[in-house]
Amino acid sequence: MSLKIGIVGLPNVGKSTLFSAITKKQVDCANYPFCTIEPNVGVVAVPDERLEALSKASGSAKIIPAIIEFVDIAGLVKGASKGEGLGNKFLSNIREVDAIAHVARCFENKDVTHVHDKVDPKADIEVINLELIYADLSTVEKRIEGVRRAQKGGKDRENEILLTALEKAFATLSLGKLAKETEFTEDEALAMKESQLMTMKPMLYVLNVDETQLAANFKLDFLKPDEQLPISVKIESEIATLSPEEAKEFMSTYGMTESGLDRLIKAAFNLLGLQTFLTSGEVETRAWTIQKGTKAPQAAGVIHTDFEKNFIRAEILNWKDFVELGEAGAREKGKLRTEGKDYVMQDGDVVHFRIGQ
């Protein structure tokens, strides 16, 4: 399951430095078929301490974690929606990502110039969001015209739902708001997915702070607490060059138990409403990415499409029971459960799917 997070931000906010730190933690993609790495893509593992424990219990030859792709979106300046700077490339790239990591500079440093000559994260965020809004307004307007023309050839229920949804989105965008702030019905929200609006995508605001702000857990009062993440990009760039042992010692000097980059990866994973189930054996221990609420047959289909079609049942273990007892021991102790087609997968399930012919 390929997941892409686009990193956006104005010049000199720390976007490129953050991406550089990400690429230094890039995983070996040999285990992921059809995964071609572009120069502006960093593929990183989702931190998961369960994998190491499961691997030891199974004597696995290798560990394959869940991954996220971070895409460095270049060329954003004021006027990008009208083609200023590398605006067209920016807009093309951001439409292809699943979510947006919006980097905003919050630290003061006279030696690092700001494109607007002053540090004002609220104004910076508004610049980028407005460019996305302007671009989406143009997209929605064209889509409305196209759907209305199609309706002249005869009324169509799906087109009517789409037209209503587009008109609602246009009204929201016209007020300078993100399209995701629109109140859609379930059918309208489903119809809007094909439009790939940038302002419908989940967005996490990455606040680039200094050491003092990081220690104080700096937040911006005009953003919701769960949509912002303070990170010192300067510290992260140093951590990325260290060995795990050195990094742990270095982070302790700042009172950090995990890197900001790891927190960003986890936050991005949660932002997309994702979770993992696990498989473990002698060949490999692996984390598989699914949407929260996924049922067992569809989870099996993530491993192989034929598994969903030929699904019989799932044998489920809590990962802690697997580590403590092993699969055979857990079965003897009655810890292993047999689940059917309606079972909703839980994060951390260790599963063995039974598949028919």
Side-chain angles (χ1 to χ4, degrees), residues 260-280:
L261 185 52
D262 281 352
R263 289 191 295 120
L264 171 58
I265 295 165
K266 289 179 180 178
F269 206 68
N270 290 329
L271 183 68
L272 290 166
L274 302 173
Q275 64 183 32
T276 55
F277 70 88
L278 309 158
T279 55
S280 187

Side-chain angles (χ1 to χ4, degrees), residues 323-334:
V323 170
E324 181 184 349
L325 304 169
E327 186 172 354
R331 190 186 297 274
E332 290 176 7
K333 295 282 187 179

Side-chain angles (χ1 to χ4, degrees), residues 54-257:
L54 287 169
S55 177
K56 287 181 180 178
S58 297
S60 302
K62 61 182 176 181
I63 294 175
I64 303 180
I67 61 170
I68 288 183
E69 295 182 23
F70 283 93
V71 184
D72 188 17
I73 307 291
L76 179 61
V77 294
K78 189 173 183 178
S81 59
K82 299 176 182 177
E84 293 294 327
L86 295 176
N88 291 332
K89 180 176 176 59
F90 160 77
L91 297 173
S92 173
N93 286 342
I94 204 167
R95 284 193 179 97
E96 296 173 359
V97 302
D98 300 297
I100 299 168
H102 186 158
V103 183
R105 175 178 166 181
C106 299
F107 67 90
E108 296 278 356
N109 187 332
K110 63 182 180 180
D111 295 325
V112 181
T113 59
H114 189 285
V115 67
H116 295 149
D117 296 323
K118 64 175 180 177
V119 175
D120 187 345
K122 185 174 183 178
D124 293 353
I125 287 170
E126 287 175 350
V127 166
I128 290 181
N129 283 349
L130 280 173
E131 293 306 321
L132 300 181
I133 287 167
Y134 293 150
D136 277 353
L137 262 174
S138 177
T139 298
V140 170
E141 189 172 25
K142 291 175 184 175
R143 291 284 287 124
I144 288 174
E145 291 174 0
V147 174
R148 283 177 177 167
R149 282 196 301 270
Q151 285 291 74
K152 289 180 181 179
K155 295 292 183 180
D156 178 274
R157 174 62 178 159
E158 289 186 3
N159 272 352
E160 285 181 3
I161 293 171
L162 176 58
L163 181 58
T164 300
L166 288 167
E167 288 172 341
K168 283 185 178 181
F170 187 84
T172 301
L173 292 164
S174 296
L175 295 173
K177 297 180 179 180
L178 304 176
K180 64 183 174 183
E181 296 179 48
T182 309
E183 292 187 11
F184 295 113
T185 66
E186 189 175 329
D187 287 342
E188 289 166 355
L190 187 62
M192 284 298 295
K193 284 188 176 181
E194 67 181 73
S195 298
Q196 285 291 299
L197 297 185
M198 294 176 287
T199 57
M200 288 286 287
K201 296 181 184 295
M203 185 179 295
L204 179 70
Y205 295 93
V206 180
L207 311 183
N208 187 7
V209 299
D210 60 27
E211 293 90 335
T212 302
Q213 292 170 316
L214 183 67
N217 195 30
F218 178 89
K219 293 289 180 71
L220 294 172
D221 57 11
F222 61 90
L223 296 176
K224 295 177 183 177
D226 61 352
E227 66 179 8
Q228 53 184 311
L229 183 70
I231 287 179
S232 171
V233 174
K234 179 183 177 183
I235 291 176
E236 294 308 308
S237 64
E238 294 183 53
I239 292 173
T241 64
L242 303 175
S243 69
E245 294 75 19
E246 292 171 331
K248 188 175 182 179
E249 184 177 346
F250 179 78
M251 288 190 295
S252 68
T253 64
Y254 291 99
M256 298 167 61
T257 56

Side-chain angles (χ1 to χ4, degrees), residues 310-323:
N310 299 317
F311 176 89
I312 297 176
R313 64 182 182 275
E315 295 179 348
I316 305 287
L317 258 178
N318 177 277
W319 75 273
K320 290 181 179 178
D321 290 334
F322 188 103
V323 170

